[in-house]
Amino acid sequence: MSTVLVVEDERDIRDVLRRYLERAGLSVLTTGSGAEALSLLHSADLVLLDLGLPDIDGTDILREVHGMQNLPVIVLTARSATEDRIHGLELGADDYVTKPFSPAEVVLRVQAVLHRYTGLPGEPGPVTYGNRRLRIDEGSHKAWLDGSLLDLTPTEWALLAAVAAAPGRAYSRYELVNRVRGYEYAGYERTIDSHIKNLRRKLGASGADVLETVLGVGYRLGLRRDDAS
């Protein structure tokens, strides 16, 4: 499942785009902060970027993204002048959408750009980790540890699936709550810690080894993904 990072200072627009993108089967991260966006770039497969951010000029973020390989950007902006569009494309944007826009059109543009970069995705099968100790099936939203089916709440499942997307990578609490809850929430630290505690309990005696704490950052999956065979 491809992840789209929506960087937009207007919350209503962020929420609408999230709903439309998730209906299209995409995973979505959102933020209204340019500084936060910079910390989330490595978690995204595509960025929807508003150039008119309150803390950092969107073109500065665009330059940062341009230095990364294979991270497409679609610019969202009220700047409709031809010169602005050309400037954005020269800085590395893959497409340019002028406000006001149709959310359905944005989804189509996202899908088109992702297709150019990755091709059409196939139906994923179960993935295993830690010499087949942990098995996760995204299609059925089920997970097994040491052969036993885990009885997870939707939030616990989403947390496990999120950290399993990049084993060994440390995810901040902000990023996890953004993925799991589908919105930005001021009390995210205690919320995530509580869900992690419950998830570890269901993982049994090795729960803290499967879901490791990264001091000062957040959490990561402690098992390596098995090679496909």
Side-chain angles (χ1 to χ4, degrees), residues 42-65:
H42 289 282
S43 300
D45 298 300
L46 181 144
V47 180
L48 280 173
L49 175 64
D50 175 22
L51 293 184
L53 298 172
D55 56 341
I56 297 178
D57 192 296
T59 57
D60 291 335
I61 298 176
L62 194 52
R63 290 187 184 94
E64 183 75 20
V65 173

Side-chain angles (χ1 to χ4, degrees), residues 185-216:
Y185 175 53
Y188 59 88
E189 289 200 15
R190 282 186 293 177
T191 299
I192 287 298
D193 289 344
S194 177
H195 288 301
I196 289 288
K197 180 179 178 181
N198 292 335
L199 179 53
R200 281 174 168 168
R201 178 175 50 79
K202 293 182 180 181
L203 291 168
S206 60
D209 296 321
V210 175
L211 273 177
E212 296 179 341
T213 298
V214 182
L215 294 177

Side-chain angles (χ1 to χ4, degrees), residues 115-135:
H115 177 67
R116 292 204 302 267
Y117 273 76
T118 64
L120 292 173
E123 184 67 27
V127 179
T128 62
Y129 305 81
N131 293 321
R132 303 186 69 82
R133 284 198 63 207
L134 177 66
R135 182 159 63 102

Side-chain angles (χ1 to χ4, degrees), residues 129 162-171 220-225:
Y129 305 81
V163 296
R169 178 191 178 282
Y171 287 85
R220 69 184 173 199
L221 186 71
L223 304 177
R224 291 188 177 185
R225 177 169 174 161

Side-chain angles (χ1 to χ4, degrees), residues 105-219:
E105 179 188 355
V106 173
V107 171
L108 291 175
R109 289 181 183 239
V110 166
Q111 291 171 328
V113 172
L114 284 173
H115 177 67
R116 292 204 302 267
Y117 273 76
T118 64
L120 292 173
E123 184 67 27
V127 179
T128 62
Y129 305 81
N131 293 321
R132 303 186 69 82
R133 284 198 63 207
L134 177 66
R135 182 159 63 102
I136 294 178
D137 188 343
E138 286 268 7
S140 65
H141 279 211
K142 292 181 179 179
W144 296 258
L145 183 66
D146 296 328
S148 297
L149 178 65
L150 298 171
D151 182 17
L152 304 179
T153 67
T155 298
E156 291 162 357
W157 155 259
L159 270 174
L160 184 59
V163 296
R169 178 191 178 282
Y171 287 85
S172 69
R173 291 171 175 84
Y174 176 90
E175 184 175 352
L176 288 173
V177 78
N178 205 314
R179 286 177 178 270
V180 170
R181 306 293 283 184
Y183 54 85
E184 301 144 39
Y185 175 53
Y188 59 88
E189 289 200 15
R190 282 186 293 177
T191 299
I192 287 298
D193 289 344
S194 177
H195 288 301
I196 289 288
K197 180 179 178 181
N198 292 335
L199 179 53
R200 281 174 168 168
R201 178 175 50 79
K202 293 182 180 181
L203 291 168
S206 60
D209 296 321
V210 175
L211 273 177
E212 296 179 341
T213 298
V214 182
L215 294 177
V217 181
Y219 300 97

